[in-house]
Amino acid sequence: MQASQSIYQSPNDHRQYRYLVLDNALRVLLVEDPDASQAAASMAVGVGHFDDPISRPGMAHFLEHMLFLGTEKFPDAGEYHAFINQHGGSNNAWTGTEHTNFFFSIDADVFAAALDRFSQFFIAPKFDLALVDRERQAIESEFSLKLKDDIRRTYQVLKETVNPQHPFSKFSVGNLMTLAGEQTELRAELQEFYLSHYSANLMTLCIVAPLPLMQLHSLVSHYFSGIRNLNLGKHYPQVPLVEQKQLLTLTEIAPLKDQKRLSISFHFPGIDHYYKRKPLTYISHILGNESKGSLLSYLKEQGLVNNLSAGGGVNGYNFKDYNIGMQLTDKGLENLDEIIGCCFEYIELIKTQGLEPWRYLERANLLTTAFRYQEQVKSLDLASHLSINMHHYEVEDIVFGDYRMDGLDIAEALDLLKLMTPSNMRLQLMSPTVVTDQYANWYHTPYRVTPIAPEALQRWYTRQIRPQLQLPLANPFIVADPIARPDKSLVAVPVVVAEAPGYRIWHKKDDEFNVPKGHLYLSLDSEQASKTPKHAALTRLYVEMLLDYLTEPTYQAEVAGLSYHIYPNQGGITLHLSGFTGNQETLLALLIDKARERNFTEERFELIKSQLLKSWQNLAQAKPISQLFTSLTATLQKRSYEPARMAQLLDSISLEDLHNHVSAFYEKIYLEGLVYGDWLVSEAQALGQRLQHILSLVSSPSVESTRELVNLTGQGTLLRELAIDHQDSAIIVYYQSAMATAEKIALFSLLNHTMSSTFFHELRTEKQLGYMVGTGYLPLNRHPGMIFYIQSPTTGPLHLLEAIDEFIADFNYAVMQITNEEWENTKQGLINQMMEHDANLKTRGQRYWVSIGNRDYQFNQREQVVAEIAKLTRPELLKFMMRKMRTKHSDRLVLFSRGERHKQQTALTSSNMITDLKTFKQHVDKFNF
């Protein structure tokens, strides 16, 4: 066994790292984190869908599913999932092109037992014959789920328009057709694939825990030394992703959603070896700039595009498909030649004037600062990320590799820029108006491939750069050497530091995370915000117009590590600023000034309105379960509305209507804010006074807007059907608490925690009702609630509701059968989950802000809930369930849609149907908050 500790880490990182290689060649990173709330492990296997047999597309993905379903040592298919859930953890996996990643988190006191179960995936999986067909159906459900997903549909076209000899061209997901055949034969193929591909020398394991390194070392040696080492190498075909004949082509794709996108892609060789200098990161940094004079700024001014991104695209062992992607306007769709020409002019500008060390240093210093003040993340996220990094970076850079920029090698950067030419280009155009002549396999995406005309190529080779295109100036928002101030907080939780009629500011100086950063939340409540669907549509349009208007003046601030988010809520709008505190006030002043200007032009108004309309209309193409979730809040919250209804009203709104709405919005305002992080109390007080002064210029004080929630008490089972054009059916069953007390929160939380893994196992794994199956704790307007949800390709909503009711009716037996120890472990797992230590400043700030929104002004609601959970007995939980949920006449809301495949099945109907949502919401009783 070889061990090493030469891991370069952030000065702000309190963890200890140890890299080692077991005798079986398994590479391991141990992370001792004394502050971690949970332990976590992640295994990244160097096997992905590129390794699928030609005759079995989806085999790697299928194997990933099967490894969860029992091992020789732990044969019960649902035991692993139940064990993780019982002890407050979570688990998942994904299959990519060249890697498969398995990961979990759990309470640290049972980490050894969890590692015992986890390690057996890679030592002796059972491949239970009885589960082969069942999990094949799960793969089919997962495939079916994405049939109407434009990202997946476009991805398949990309696969069909590259070199068919390259493994990227393989169909990755799998379905019943690719995994067809006798179960015994398929099981034998699974075993063969596993035995010939899963080898310890292709695996990297990362474990993170609040345990000493020596103990972690011992655990890893004990549980993972048994993984076989076949000394395998990776031998993917050394053929290009894109052949010469596939360059200089335009691929036109017809999407399901109303969207117009242009992608210019360049074929590069593999880029992993560039990671120490990151020349492509630097090129993308300039090419994707959004400040005045940038490529995006110019194209927006011309009314051709709405946004632009540079640097995306697929990459792998011998390829990088470098993309410049743009969302087009209608005018842009008619002027592709002009847009593409501008892109090549800007590339030429970078090539001839942009390779300056100070520009590179500006970007590198931002990454250095980000690394220096690297914030902690959850154990699970860290383990998963680092296990993948181990496949890409040298040992010393496993943590630092993402941030490393050693210097600008001009020759290296030029070599890459020389590949960004018309002769090494492919174009992809997505628009509902394109003419197509073929359909992609599996997803039936309509598309057409045509050669690019030589005369167009000649025009794009022109080296004349228009004067409006300019390289970015030095960034004024960069703080050279930010330092967190050592002042200690005098309070344990936020306190009010500024208050007067119409406004209140909370503050807490952080003295735990030691970063010169802050989080500033400001909520502006106005009765005009969303009192009708039209008002809500206008508020949303105002937010979108504001964000568009702010893009250019705030871009440099965002690059410098200052970010902001503006979003509508039930009572008004919320502004969230985060990042380094040195210039946060400067950015806030800029945002407020721009928000007050409201110099919206007719041209941008029409463009943003059209964009918003499309986004709302496109929601009709979302997964059925996603549409039901959107409708759940629209059905229950008085001031939430269906996107389709808002789109209807937005259509006729004018710029004058918007200006009038904004004026009315600000007439009476209630402001509530939280200042948290590296802010002194005096600074927060001064900020509060400035905000009060600014508001006094445009508005008079108001009270906080009310948030009303439909009261389901006495309603029985309410049904609402949504017409959704999809092959799958979907259902959500929602139960609501009439009281927003700590006791009720405890009951609903524990019930969900107790049920979730069993529900998933029985309805997804055993009954194969669908891929999207689960339960969730769902509080709305402070009221606790619980949901059961399924999206199913196999059966309609009537059967789905019957299956949910049957599960609920039988569940009390399952609760009665568990031992007292298991019951106490279940409760403790939930308590540990709820009391999980905030990983970073962001998580803590979010928790404080949610507490303020819930009027938890002592910031101790979770402690109260935990105390209630600790007291709860099994009989109390069963009694609550019997009274609240075990009858079909329970007070609840059932939202559902009937898939095209299930139109012939018996319909789900009732005399208690919501057919007119507006009338229902007007007349039903409501809770006020």
Side-chain angles (χ1 to χ4, degrees), residues 155-173:
Y155 194 55
Q156 182 59 33
V157 174
L158 177 61
K159 284 174 170 291
E160 292 188 15
T161 53
V162 299
N163 183 354
Q165 301 306 311
H166 196 283
F168 181 81
S169 63
K170 295 178 183 179
F171 172 49
S172 59
V173 181

Side-chain angles (χ1 to χ4, degrees), residues 157 161 249-255 261 333 336 427-431 433-438 445-451:
V157 174
T161 53
T249 54
L250 167 65
T251 302
E252 296 169 280
I253 302 171
R261 298 198 66 85
L333 187 61
L336 297 180
L427 298 174
Q428 185 188 89
L429 176 65
M430 189 188 296
S431 167
T433 59
V434 298
V435 176
T436 61
D437 58 12
Q438 60 184 308
T445 327
Y447 75 101
R448 177 176 69 167
V449 181
T450 53

Side-chain angles (χ1 to χ4, degrees), residues 435-604:
V435 176
T436 61
D437 58 12
Q438 60 184 308
Y439 291 89
N441 286 327
W442 312 114
Y443 296 91
H444 315 297
T445 327
Y447 75 101
R448 177 176 69 167
V449 181
T450 53
I452 295 169
E455 53 271 25
L457 288 174
Q458 198 53 50
R459 285 194 301 276
W460 298 331
Y461 264 114
T462 306
R463 290 291 180 258
Q464 189 70 35
I465 302 168
R466 63 198 79 196
Q468 297 96 322
L469 294 176
Q470 299 286 326
L471 292 168
L473 301 171
N475 193 326
F477 284 94
I478 294 176
V479 179
D481 191 22
I483 297 172
R485 290 173 292 188
D487 307 61
K488 293 294 178 186
S489 178
L490 301 175
V491 291
V493 294
V495 294
V496 175
V497 294
E499 187 172 24
Y503 95 108
R504 178 167 52 190
I505 301 292
W506 299 78
H507 167 263
K508 185 183 185 307
K509 166 76 171 67
D510 172 68
D511 55 11
E512 178 181 339
F513 296 108
N514 190 35
V515 287
K517 296 180 180 180
H519 286 267
L520 180 63
Y521 288 91
L522 296 173
S523 177
L524 293 168
D525 268 18
S526 169
E527 278 300 320
Q528 300 297 314
S530 53
K531 64 180 185 181
T532 68
K534 184 173 182 179
H535 284 81
L538 280 160
T539 299
R540 175 69 185 274
L541 179 59
Y542 169 52
V543 167
E544 296 300 323
M545 291 293 297
L546 193 53
L547 289 170
D548 176 68
Y549 188 53
L550 288 165
T551 300
E552 207 170 274
T554 61
Y555 180 74
Q556 295 281 53
E558 294 221 55
V559 169
L562 288 164
S563 61
Y564 66 93
H565 185 33
I566 304 172
Y567 54 93
N569 58 51
Q570 289 177 70
I573 58 176
T574 301
L575 166 64
H576 175 209
L577 261 76
S578 61
F580 292 106
T581 44
N583 275 316
Q584 264 189 328
E585 281 195 83
T586 311
L587 176 59
L588 179 61
L590 175 64
L591 292 173
I592 290 170
D593 284 347
K594 292 293 178 185
R596 288 167 67 201
E597 281 175 20
R598 299 198 290 279
N599 293 335
F600 302 141
T601 65
E602 189 72 47
E603 185 184 25
R604 289 315 291 172

Side-chain angles (χ1 to χ4, degrees), residues 204 235 316 345 440 720 726-727 736 831 882:
T204 54
H235 304 291
E345 286 178 38
R720 182 173 176 224
H726 199 278
Q727 70 276 8
Q736 177 192 73
I831 288 170
M882 297 276 286

